[in-house]
Amino acid sequence: MRELESRFRIMVASDFDRTLSSEKDGFVMRREVVEEVNRFSKSYHFVVVTGRERKYMEVLAPGLNPTAWVMENGALLVHKVIDVNAPSNWPSVRTLVEQTLRRRGVRYSRGEVIIYVDGGRSQKLELDVKGASIEWNRNDAMIMPTGVNKGTGLTKLKEALNFQGKVIAVGDSENDFALFKVADFKVAVGNALPEVKREADLVLDEDDGEGVKKLLKMIEEDELKI
Ligand SMILES: O=C(O)COP(=O)(O)O
């Protein structure tokens, strides 16, 4: 019964790259972090909120079994069903974005919903297509339907799950600010960017997966005052 209550009360919304996984490990989640998250997810909601595409997750998070995934930076929700979180004109806006990028010779890749321009910051990428906006993740750019981000993705997912408890968000980078906006408690891992640490209610000493493990333990031991 207590487990059931925890699940209604708390949802952890965790970024993936440099939060659950580390660059040192080629962004593959370590086994013990996978096991801790799977154990935690039996009693609480645990949602992975990432810029990544679905096709990478089997390789980067082998065996991970969270409550749900918010992927492509908020544009794709994966729980029992798969929901696109984008306005209905997005396919035509996306085509326009692709034409613009091709005209300028910018290399990009397509997610199921969004567009990725790796190294977009060093290329000083700018975009003037109505209905499309850039979300930055360190040096990389994600071209999103305007108004769609990790925060709106998580809000839609909460509605789908009918979750009305508290959200604890954990992340490291600029695209996590939108997630922080919809969170009741904001956590930065030890390796987070300084501006993310400044926004956080709690800055963990530990980096990425070790930091998340510590956070889960603190939640289970009821150490967070939220
Ligand atoms: O898509 C990426 O490069 C990274 O995604 P994340 O840091 O939001 O998990």
Side-chain angles (χ1 to χ4, degrees):
M1 199 57 199
R2 193 171 171 273
E3 289 195 349
L4 208 59
E5 283 165 14
S6 317
R7 180 174 282 273
F8 286 125
R9 220 163 30 87
I10 287 177
M11 170 184 281
V12 173
S14 175
D15 171 56
F16 189 79
D17 285 35
R18 300 184 179 85
T19 299
L20 279 169
S21 71
S22 161
E23 194 162 4
K24 290 194 292 281
D25 305 319
F27 295 110
V28 178
M29 257 179 98
R30 284 196 310 280
R31 191 67 232 158
E32 73 269 17
V33 183
V34 170
E35 280 165 8
E36 276 304 289
V37 171
N38 285 351
R39 192 184 53 73
F40 183 88
S41 304
K42 292 198 176 111
S43 313
Y44 299 82
H45 282 305
F46 188 101
V47 181
V48 180
V49 186
T50 176
R52 291 245 182 210
E53 286 173 78
R54 210 146 48 113
K55 66 182 182 198
Y56 292 117
M57 298 323 293
E58 267 176 38
V59 181
L60 298 180
L64 188 68
N65 197 12
T67 312
W69 305 80
V70 174
M71 296 190 175
E72 299 203 12
N73 216 44
L76 195 72
L77 318 179
V78 180
H79 43 117
K80 284 192 189 83
V81 294
I82 295 170
D83 278 337
V84 171
N85 179 29
S88 54
N89 71 341
W90 174 244
S92 52
V93 174
R94 181 162 102 150
T95 304
L96 265 179
V97 171
E98 289 188 72
Q99 285 167 351
T100 308
L101 296 176
R102 276 203 299 271
R103 216 171 34 237
R104 294 198 213 146
V106 176
R107 289 172 64 99
Y108 66 90
S109 65
R110 293 159 56 109
E112 287 175 75
V113 184
I114 71 173
I115 291 176
Y116 298 86
V117 181
D118 288 352
R121 177 106 67 192
S122 0
Q123 300 173 55
K124 299 196 170 33
L125 178 72
E126 284 176 17
L127 193 68
D128 188 17
V129 175
K130 198 165 175 291
S133 304
I134 299 176
E135 176 80 281
W136 294 102
N137 185 10
R138 297 180 190 239
N139 194 32
D140 299 331
M142 284 173 269
I143 302 176
M144 309 291 304
T146 300
V148 174
N149 55 44
K150 286 188 174 186
T152 65
L154 189 74
T155 300
K156 277 223 165 169
L157 181 80
K158 276 172 61 181
E159 284 163 18
L161 299 177
N162 194 20
F163 177 79
Q164 287 162 11
K166 302 270 191 221
V167 172
I168 300 172
V170 55
D172 76 294
S173 190
E174 295 119 303
N175 63 335
D176 299 320
F177 281 131
L179 183 59
F180 275 10
K181 269 214 178 111
V182 300
D184 298 286
F185 194 80
K186 299 162 277 187
V187 183
V189 280
N191 54 299
L193 295 174
E195 55 267 41
V196 174
K197 288 185 176 175
R198 276 198 296 275
E199 272 292 306
D201 299 304
L202 169 70
V203 177
L204 297 160
D205 291 331
E206 299 80 357
D207 287 351
D208 41 69
E210 285 308 306
V212 176
K213 273 170 58 186
K214 174 73 180 298
L215 173 65
L216 302 187
K217 191 159 173 277
M218 290 175 86
I219 293 169
E220 289 176 320
E221 293 179 357
D222 223 358
E223 282 176 29
L224 296 185
K225 299 288 159 264
I226 54 169

